[in-house]
Amino acid sequence: YDVFKDLAPITLVVINPQILVVHPSLPVRSVNDLIKLAKAKPGQINYGSVGPGSPQHMGMELLKSMAGINLVHIPYKGTPQATTDLISGQVTMMFANTLSVLPSVRSQRLRALAVTTRARSPALPDVPTVAESGLAGFDVSSWAGVVAPAATPKPVIAKLHREITGVLKEPALNARLSAEGAPPVGSTPDEFSRFMQGELVKWAAAVKQSGARID
């Protein structure tokens, strides 16, 4: 299917940042420290992901490209195993979903270097963004939105948009999502369409540059 021909955007619900986390044994406390170390030790530092082509994998490939560094990819089959091996030091770093590593960051079993989105995470307000840390324009996230079949009448799209964005404004839900590092968005259909178009362009370029394959 064609996302832009076959689906009608309704609203972007949440943007969930990833967190660049490292095992405490890695002697870095910032993205700049990491880049310097990686350039001094090309191909000697590894990173985990939840599988080839995953947001964690592609986000790190984008960071590698922008920073001009060489890191070794260690793919896993899912978040639990990847996170467990990161905590134990089997891999040294990873881009991870906020919820999956937040307890370990707070208990200092992992060190958070940066947030991947343009804005800081409300769950970790003292952790800078990757863009703030020297890689201007870096913006990586997991996100969720609502779409309908392309033939859905516009009045139905408008009603769905009103109802969904109304729910997203409810204080309890807003507070819950914000505490988990994913504050609700509630964009217009046009804004959501432009967002998806930008994501398609960005990740198509990242996949091509990285040579990533799913075999």
Side-chain angles (χ1 to χ4, degrees):
Y1 62 91
D2 185 312
V3 172
F4 300 105
K5 290 181 180 179
D6 300 329
L7 301 174
I10 296 174
T11 187
L12 178 61
V13 176
V14 293
I15 293 179
N16 191 0
Q18 295 178 38
I19 310 297
L20 176 56
V21 286
V22 301
H23 188 268
S25 64
L26 198 67
V28 299
R29 293 192 171 274
S30 68
V31 172
N32 192 44
D33 286 348
L34 175 62
I35 292 171
K36 287 180 179 178
L37 183 64
K39 287 185 175 180
K41 297 182 176 183
Q44 297 180 50
I45 300 173
N46 61 35
Y47 75 92
S49 83
V50 299
S54 64
Q56 292 82 359
H57 175 211
M58 298 315 305
M60 195 66 77
E61 290 297 321
L62 185 61
L63 184 144
K64 284 170 55 180
S65 174
M66 292 179 68
I69 56 178
N70 180 16
L71 304 170
V72 178
H73 179 211
I74 309 295
Y76 289 85
K77 293 183 178 180
T79 298
Q81 186 182 3
T83 305
T84 298
D85 275 12
L86 178 63
I87 292 171
S88 67
Q90 299 300 308
V91 290
T92 57
M93 58 186 291
M94 188 167 72
F95 274 146
N97 180 279
T98 306
L99 276 179
S100 67
V101 295
L102 196 55
S104 298
V105 169
R106 288 175 172 165
S107 65
Q108 300 185 349
R109 290 186 294 171
L110 294 176
R111 181 181 300 135
L113 300 187
V115 176
T116 61
T117 42
R118 293 180 184 178
R120 295 190 182 195
S121 169
L124 292 167
D126 295 330
V127 177
T129 67
V130 174
E132 283 181 83
S133 303
L135 295 181
F138 190 92
D139 183 17
V140 169
S141 65
S142 302
W143 52 269
V146 181
V147 297
T152 304
K154 288 186 177 181
V156 175
I157 296 290
K159 181 174 176 57
L160 286 169
H161 179 264
R162 286 195 305 272
E163 295 294 332
I164 294 168
T165 55
V167 170
L168 293 176
K169 292 176 183 177
E170 292 182 0
L173 179 61
N174 198 304
R176 173 68 182 272
L177 291 173
S178 296
E180 294 178 352
V185 179
S187 64
T188 68
D190 285 344
E191 288 169 342
F192 187 24
S193 178
R194 289 194 295 271
F195 174 83
M196 288 194 293
Q197 289 168 357
E199 289 287 280
L200 182 64
V201 171
K202 175 173 66 180
W203 293 117
V207 169
K208 183 176 181 181
Q209 190 167 36
S210 71
R213 296 171 58 91
I214 301 178
D215 298 320

